[in-house]
């Protein structure tokens, strides 16, 4: 397992993160446990900002909170001076509860409900990223009703798609997100928003994919959206248009095969693309917004499990089961995501066997890792799976009524719980038993 950030093997032969021995973490907080390297998250946020500072462009770095959204995380993002993307009323509520500056919140999503739009208008968020005509009309009407004007960006689907290592241009854009350029919807949406009361068009947005390892796709999208930007300013009188949001999707290293660029390389390429496109169009440089999610939290997260049963099928494979699985990390089951692992309590021992790590849920598909090279694994060992910071806790479920793990942030030798472990009583706390079913054991309790 590759050691990211402050992760290291300490003098006891244990995995240590943020200056805290992971075996101490597991005895204190139990397993499964999500551990976040706070210093690594902060360093990555700072790396994005300093990379932008070097470009001379105006910019905003917005953390895509869907990757991992809790009160403490929102506090860190606020402290580091980033903006925040939310995609639901729940994420917005979390940000507001964390006292995140509302003017730095952007609201995304392809089906914002009237309630969510009202919640965001009441909070006075910085901008809505409008996804479709229905939302444009709804937002305009609700804003007029409240006597406010909402700043909006339009989400465009520029016909650039990224498939991890490569990008492709697609003529026909098949996506549930955004206004499509090919069909003319994007052009129409710009003109319509300029006439819609209650909204002010300040920017154009595109997001071309996730886990991107190259920069050509971004440049291509900037060129396409930049040309439309120019048309909007020059021909349609979009006088307030000043923001170009190029989305997120910056790739991270999960395993050996992943070869992400440095933060600085992504930003330099995007800045070059923006300058080249806008210079050639004779337009002032826009404020550029990026929206990294995975790349801020992904490598910073490690999940610690306790090993339980194993099953050896001679000549076939050996299964080793841990006390979590798809309920805390659905990504392998959802999209064949690949992870690396190590034994946190025997971190200096050489790998001697190849085993497959199974979760405890009642699904054959609940496999965390196929063919992991590990020392001979025993019941009671602590298995650490790295790079679980993004889309693990945020996608966790209670399938099989498995309680969700606690989350701790570690830094400088200190571990702080930022999400408590769910209890079995938490699991039934929202259940209601109608009076007609109340008899026997339940009525006595
Ligand atoms: C999901 C998403 C992001 C973040 O993507 P990552 O791959 O986590 O960086 C940014 N912007 C938009 C619009 C998204 O939907």
């Amino acid at each position: 397992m590759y050691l990211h950030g402050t992760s290291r093997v300490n003098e006891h032969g244990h995995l240590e993160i943020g200056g805290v021995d992971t075996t101490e973490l597991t005895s204190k907080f139990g397993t499964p446990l999500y551990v976040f390297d706070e210093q690594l998250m902060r360093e990555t946020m700072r790396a994005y900002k300093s990379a932008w500072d070097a470009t001379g462009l105006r910019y905003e770095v917005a953390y895509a909170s869907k990757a991992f959204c809790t009160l403490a995380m929102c506090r860190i993002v606020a402290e580091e001076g980033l903006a925040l993307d939310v995609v639901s009323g729940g994420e917005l509520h979390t940000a507001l509860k964390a006292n995140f500056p509302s003017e730095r919140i952007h609201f995304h999503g392809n089906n914002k409900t009237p309630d969510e739009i009202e919640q965001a208008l009441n909070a006075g968020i910085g901008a809505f990223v409008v996804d479709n005509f229905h939302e444009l009309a709804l937002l305009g009407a609700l804003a007029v009703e409240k006597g406010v004007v909402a700043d909006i960006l339009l989400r465009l689907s520029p016909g650039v798609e990224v498939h991890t290592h490569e990008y492709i241009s697609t003529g026909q854009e098949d996506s549930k997100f955004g206004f499509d350029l090919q069909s003319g919807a994007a052009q129409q949406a710009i003109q319509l928003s300029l006439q819609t009361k209650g909204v002010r068009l300040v920017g154009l947005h595109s997001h071309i994919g996730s886990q991107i390892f190259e920069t050509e796709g971004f440049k291509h999208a900037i060129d396409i959206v930049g040309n439309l930007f120019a048309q909007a300013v020059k021909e349609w009188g979009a006088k307030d248009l000043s923001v170009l949001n190029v989305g997120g999707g910056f790739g991270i290293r999960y395993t050996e095969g992943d070869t992400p660029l440095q933060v600085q390389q992504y930003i330099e390429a995007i800045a070059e693309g923006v300058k080249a496109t806008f210079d050639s169009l004779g337009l002032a440089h826009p404020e550029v917004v990026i929206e990294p999610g995975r790349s801020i939290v992904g490598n910073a997260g490690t999940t610690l499990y306790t090993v339980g049963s194993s099953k050896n099928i001679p000549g076939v494979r050996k299964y080793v089961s841990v006390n979590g699985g798809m309920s805390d990390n659905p990504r392998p089951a959802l999209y064949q995501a690949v992870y690396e692992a190590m034994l946190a309590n025997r971190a200096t021992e050489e790998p001697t066997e190849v085993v497959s790590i199974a979760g405890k849920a009642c699904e054959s598909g609940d496999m965390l890792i196929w063919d992991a090279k590990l020392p001979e694994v025993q019941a009671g060992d602590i298995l650490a799976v790295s790079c679980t910071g993004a889309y693990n806790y945020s996608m966790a479920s209670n399938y099989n009524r498995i309680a969700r793990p606690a989350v701790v942030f570690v830094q400088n030798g200190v571990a702080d719980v930022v999400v408590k472990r769910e209890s079995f009583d938490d699991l039934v706390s929202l259940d209601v038993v109608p009076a007609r079913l109340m008899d026997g054991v339940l009525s006595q309790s």
Side-chain angles (χ1 to χ4, degrees), residues 52 60 148 151 346 406:
W52 276 115
E60 192 169 50
V148 295
D151 280 354
R346 293 159 56 198

Side-chain angles (χ1 to χ4, degrees), residues 48 62-68 85 87 108-109 129 155 177 205-212 245-252 254 290-297 390-391:
Y48 274 112
Y63 167 61
S65 74
K66 70 182 185 203
F68 174 71
D85 280 1
V87 297
H108 281 265
V129 181
R155 173 154 187 173
F177 293 113
H205 173 279
S206 61
H207 171 72
I208 56 173
S210 255
Q211 193 55 350
I212 299 168
N245 187 324
V246 302
F250 311 104
I252 64 166
Y254 282 99
I290 57 162
E291 310 177 306
R294 185 191 316 272
S295 62
I296 286 178
V297 288
Y391 307 105

Side-chain angles (χ1 to χ4, degrees), residues 22 82 103 110 141 145 159 165 167 176 182 184 201 224 236 261 301 321 344 357 365 379 394-395 401 407 409 414 443:
T22 51
L82 271 63
E103 69 280 4
N110 65 302
E145 218 176 274
H165 293 267
Y167 86 93
K176 75 168 182 173
Q182 191 80 7
L201 179 66
I224 293 170
W236 304 328
L261 303 173
S321 295
I357 310 297
S394 64
M395 285 187 161
R401 289 240 145 168
V407 185
F409 282 3
V414 177
S443 63

Side-chain angles (χ1 to χ4, degrees), residues 97-113:
K97 277 272 174 186
N99 208 17
F100 195 91
S102 55
E103 69 280 4
R104 279 198 263 139
I105 299 175
H106 314 153
F107 198 176
H108 281 265
N110 65 302
N111 190 20
K112 303 176 187 79
T113 66

Side-chain angles (χ1 to χ4, degrees), residues 1 341 343 346-354 372-376:
M1 182 179 109
L343 293 185
R346 293 159 56 198
T348 50
E349 291 180 33
E350 292 296 318
T352 53
E353 61 177 5
V354 174
K373 289 195 195 76
L374 294 171
E376 198 174 326

